[in-house]
Amino acid sequence: MVRSSVQSVVAAALHRETRELVAYTVLNWRPAVPASIAQQDTLVAGDHRGHRLGMLIKLANLRRAQARWRSARSILTWNASENQHMLAINIALGFKPAGYEGEWQKRLG
């Protein structure tokens, strides 16, 4: 069996009344690239948007990553241009645009 050297930190929000997971975010770090962290998923369930959960879980995870991976100097994140809410969160947290990516899609049938 081969094991990955990727390490992750996850922050999540649990709804107090229903005990349902309503938001989460994931950061990954690899020892082979110690100066960089990759932001993976961040998701807030539709019924729970607008309560700053995205900001709170991302901030909590950034703090955990900073304490855990002291060699890291940058975090790479990405988002669709139409997701203005998450883009605003990223800007408020100090992220700066570093590039753009385009994708093409062809629907078959």
Side-chain angles (χ1 to χ4, degrees):
M1 178 167 75
V2 176
R3 292 183 183 249
S4 168
S5 62
V6 175
Q7 298 177 22
S8 300
V9 290
V10 178
L14 198 65
H15 189 267
R16 285 184 184 149
E17 294 172 13
T18 65
R19 306 303 290 167
E20 291 179 324
L21 181 69
V22 296
Y24 76 95
T25 189
V26 180
L27 291 171
N28 289 341
W29 178 83
R30 296 182 309 149
V33 189
S36 183
I37 296 172
Q39 171 73 60
Q40 299 300 322
D41 296 335
T42 298
L43 177 71
V44 177
D47 291 346
H48 298 275
R49 292 181 181 159
H51 303 286
R52 301 187 54 83
L53 290 177
M55 172 69 84
L56 293 171
I57 61 173
K58 282 189 90 162
L59 184 57
N61 229 24
L62 290 170
R63 287 179 175 156
R64 289 179 67 205
Q66 189 176 32
R68 184 170 180 178
W69 302 311
R70 296 191 181 277
S71 62
R73 297 292 171 253
S74 66
I75 299 172
L76 175 64
T77 189
W78 54 91
N79 221 300
S81 60
E82 61 269 14
N83 191 347
Q84 290 298 308
H85 183 72
M86 192 55 69
L87 290 171
I89 288 171
N90 287 340
I91 290 167
L93 289 172
F95 287 91
K96 306 271 188 243
Y100 295 91
E101 179 181 303
E103 295 183 23
W104 291 68
Q105 177 181 5
K106 178 174 176 62
R107 297 193 186 272
L108 302 175

